[in-house]
Amino acid sequence: MSKSPRRQISPEKSRPTVFWPLAAVVVPVTGWFAKIEITGAEHLPVEGPYVLAPNHYSEFDPLIIAVATWRLGRAPRFMAKESLFRVPVLGWALRATGMVPVARSSSAAAAKQTLKQSESLVEHGRGVIVYPEGTLTRDPDMWPMRGKTGAVRLAVAGDIPVIPVATWGVDRIMPRYGKLRFWPPRKRVQVRLGPASDLSAFRGTTGPAKLVAATDVVMADVSALLGELRGLTPPAERWNPSAHGQKETGRLEP
């Protein structure tokens, strides 16, 4: 498989930031567990705002996405629960690294917060990583399940591109709801980015039905990328936890 050509490094990686000491620890530690192979790097903007939308099937895959994003020259910022920003020390670290607090409801205040967050991403030219599923997939075969609207709400508010991304192989490091496996080291993990999802029909969207439809577009793109990595055809419909008597408690977004 051919790999993406070498990229330019964005200013947010070439200039000293709090990410430098974090990367000095996280990158080599993650490198013990995973040999990360990245394709589609050209789809991640070198500069400017973006929303990166990955699949989620292991507690370890945020580290993979963070390291891959850093290797591609961008600072890996995630959405995090708003309550975490009020925790001493941790809250400071989240703010210092530019993490984005999650709007936990669909109220008018939450919509205003989303707009403010989107404007901030555009103003500072930052990206954010948002797991559209909100938690580990419940799909028995680990395909992406039905997504939540947080990623597209953030994106359409500021006309920010949503970049779908799929990973595969992380479950060999840490199975879904399982324990971390230290041996053997350097397990192969594939990361594939795709072109920005076509959300042109949803610009300026605020209605719930349109946001759900836009999210379906993103989830279909993520599923297609995962199908390429697995050499399989993804299911036509995504797993719906509520239809199978499963809770939809999201850890990362509402």
Side-chain angles (χ1 to χ4, degrees):
M1 180 185 294
S2 61
K3 296 185 179 180
S4 298
R6 183 177 295 275
R7 286 165 48 91
Q8 291 179 288
I9 297 177
S10 75
E12 57 181 6
K13 182 176 179 180
S14 59
R15 296 170 185 162
T17 67
V18 70
F19 283 99
W20 281 22
L22 289 173
V25 175
V26 173
V27 171
V29 168
T30 304
W32 161 266
F33 291 98
K35 181 182 178 182
I36 302 175
E37 300 175 359
I38 304 172
T39 53
E42 66 275 11
H43 299 303
L44 186 68
V46 174
E47 295 183 339
Y50 63 88
V51 174
L52 198 63
N55 60 322
H56 196 21
Y57 57 99
S58 167
E59 298 279 9
F60 197 87
D61 60 50
L63 283 175
I64 298 296
I65 290 294
V67 171
T69 304
W70 184 251
R71 279 177 49 183
L72 293 176
R74 300 302 304 260
R77 297 180 174 90
F78 288 85
M79 270 195 159
K81 289 192 295 185
E82 198 170 29
S83 59
L84 296 177
F85 285 77
R86 296 191 289 271
V87 177
V89 182
L90 175 60
W92 172 86
L94 292 173
R95 286 188 291 272
T97 51
M99 302 299 171
V100 178
V102 175
R104 300 297 296 174
S105 70
S106 57
S107 65
K112 185 176 181 180
Q113 181 188 24
T114 298
L115 179 60
K116 184 177 179 181
Q117 292 165 345
S118 183
E119 290 172 346
S120 178
L121 291 177
V122 172
E123 179 184 356
H124 298 289
R126 292 176 174 174
V128 66
I129 301 163
V130 185
Y131 282 94
E133 296 162 274
T135 187
L136 299 180
T137 181
R138 305 290 202 273
D139 185 282
D141 296 319
M142 294 198 296
W143 291 102
M145 64 179 179
R146 188 178 67 170
K148 299 183 180 181
T149 60
V152 297
R153 279 193 285 116
L154 190 65
V156 299
D159 198 17
I160 299 171
V162 178
I163 312 299
V165 56
T167 71
W168 190 240
V170 188
D171 56 307
R172 296 173 57 222
I173 298 171
M174 189 173 188
R176 181 173 50 182
Y177 306 120
K179 295 182 178 180
L180 190 61
R181 295 172 177 172
F182 289 85
W183 194 264
R186 301 278 291 165
K187 299 178 184 70
R188 184 189 186 207
V189 173
Q190 299 176 80
V191 177
R192 178 166 296 188
L193 294 84
S197 295
D198 183 5
L199 302 180
S200 56
F202 306 100
R203 288 189 183 127
T205 291
T206 57
K210 287 288 187 73
L211 290 172
V212 169
T215 300
D216 288 342
V217 171
V218 174
M219 297 312 300
D221 291 343
V222 174
S223 297
L225 292 172
L226 183 57
E228 293 173 5
L229 293 180
R230 296 176 65 173
L232 297 171
T233 301
E237 293 185 11
R238 269 147 297 284
W239 185 265
N240 182 353
S242 61
H244 294 83
Q246 298 171 325
K247 283 188 175 182
E248 291 192 85
T249 303
R251 298 179 187 177
L252 298 175
E253 63 156 309

